[in-house]
């Protein structure tokens, strides 16, 4: 399967870190894959969850997962490329509390998204951006975009970087 779902132990660690921020938050899940992260956010109290995924196979998986968890009505699913979804969401003019992205590794897609979000209304001083990436992924450019690393959690083969706008 082309989808690389976040391992259960990794997901548990991620949500232990995110838990204080989840109640009624606006949560954006970019490169949603199976939808597991966005669905978990919903099940833990996020108020508004948007999942963005362009793969037809992954979209079918997300729809099935939302149906089986009885969360279909609570989630908003955008079946399109992340770079098409961002302007669509910007037109709504509201920042997200948490933006999670798990793009395909080692293709610099996270950098392209962060460059795009640096001046976006989707990100404000309160927004927590979480990037899942390979251990080798370079984030040395964050400061020049106006971001700073709030926290980093490394696992065996990947990491979560927690990023905020610099104050």
């Amino acid at each position: 399967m082309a989808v690389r779902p976040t391992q259960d132990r990794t997901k548990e660690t991620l949500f232990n870190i995110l838990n204080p921020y989840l109640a009624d938050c606006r949560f954006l899940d970019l490169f949603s894959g199976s939808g597991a992260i966005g669905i978990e956010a919903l099940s833990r109290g996020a108020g508004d969850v948007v999942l963005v995924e362009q793969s037809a196979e992954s979209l079918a998986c997300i729809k099935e997962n939302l149906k089986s968890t009885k969360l279909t009505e609570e989630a908003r699913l955008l079946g399109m490329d992340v770079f098409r979804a961002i302007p669509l969401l910007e037109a709504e003019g509201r920042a997200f509390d948490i933006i999670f992205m798990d793009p395909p590794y080692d293709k610099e897609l996270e950098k392209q998204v962060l460059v795009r979000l640096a001046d976006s209304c989707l990100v404000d001083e309160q927004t927590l951006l979480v990037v899942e990436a390979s251990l080798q992924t370079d984030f040395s450019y964050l400061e020049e975009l106006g971001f700073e690393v709030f926290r980093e959690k490394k696992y065996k083969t990947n990491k979560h970087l927690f990023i905020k706008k610099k104050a």
Side-chain angles (χ1 to χ4, degrees):
M1 189 173 185
V3 175
R4 175 187 32 78
T6 302
Q7 298 295 315
D8 285 342
R9 195 173 294 157
T10 303
K11 186 168 67 170
E12 185 66 29
T13 301
L14 171 67
F15 278 96
N16 285 342
I17 295 168
L18 292 180
N19 224 35
Y21 308 98
L22 284 173
D24 292 322
C25 81
R26 288 196 77 215
F27 192 101
L28 177 58
D29 183 0
L30 300 174
F31 307 96
S32 294
S34 69
I37 299 297
I39 291 169
E40 186 74 19
L42 267 175
S43 73
R44 291 183 182 233
D48 180 16
V49 175
V50 178
L51 299 103
V52 179
E53 178 56 57
Q54 72 174 353
S55 159
E57 182 181 345
S58 293
L59 284 169
C61 179
I62 293 169
K63 289 175 183 174
E64 188 58 41
N65 288 339
L66 285 167
K67 185 178 172 185
S68 70
T69 56
K70 298 178 177 36
L71 292 170
T72 302
E73 297 301 316
E74 285 78 13
R76 180 173 166 200
L77 182 56
L78 299 179
M80 62 182 64
D81 178 76
V82 165
F83 298 100
R84 280 190 44 225
I86 289 172
L88 182 76
L89 293 166
E90 285 174 331
E92 298 170 11
R94 291 179 51 213
F96 283 87
D97 299 300
I98 300 172
I99 299 175
F100 177 85
M101 69 179 92
D102 181 10
Y105 289 178
D106 303 319
K107 296 180 186 279
E108 292 198 357
L109 288 169
E110 65 286 327
K111 182 176 183 178
Q112 293 173 44
V113 173
L114 290 167
V115 165
R116 181 64 181 79
L117 291 177
D119 296 315
S120 173
C121 66
L122 300 179
V123 177
D124 65 19
E125 297 76 31
Q126 307 306 313
T127 303
L128 178 60
L129 295 114
V130 184
V131 182
E132 186 169 317
S134 72
L135 291 173
Q136 297 77 27
T137 304
D138 174 38
F139 287 95
S140 61
Y141 57 86
L142 286 175
E143 193 169 313
E144 65 190 56
L145 293 178
F147 293 121
E148 62 186 349
V149 176
F150 168 67
R151 184 173 183 171
E152 182 177 18
K153 179 66 179 158
K154 291 184 178 181
Y155 308 97
K156 287 181 186 176
T157 61
N158 62 352
K159 62 186 171 184
H160 283 130
L161 216 60
F162 299 81
I163 303 165
K164 286 194 162 251
K165 275 197 168 189
K166 283 197 295 194

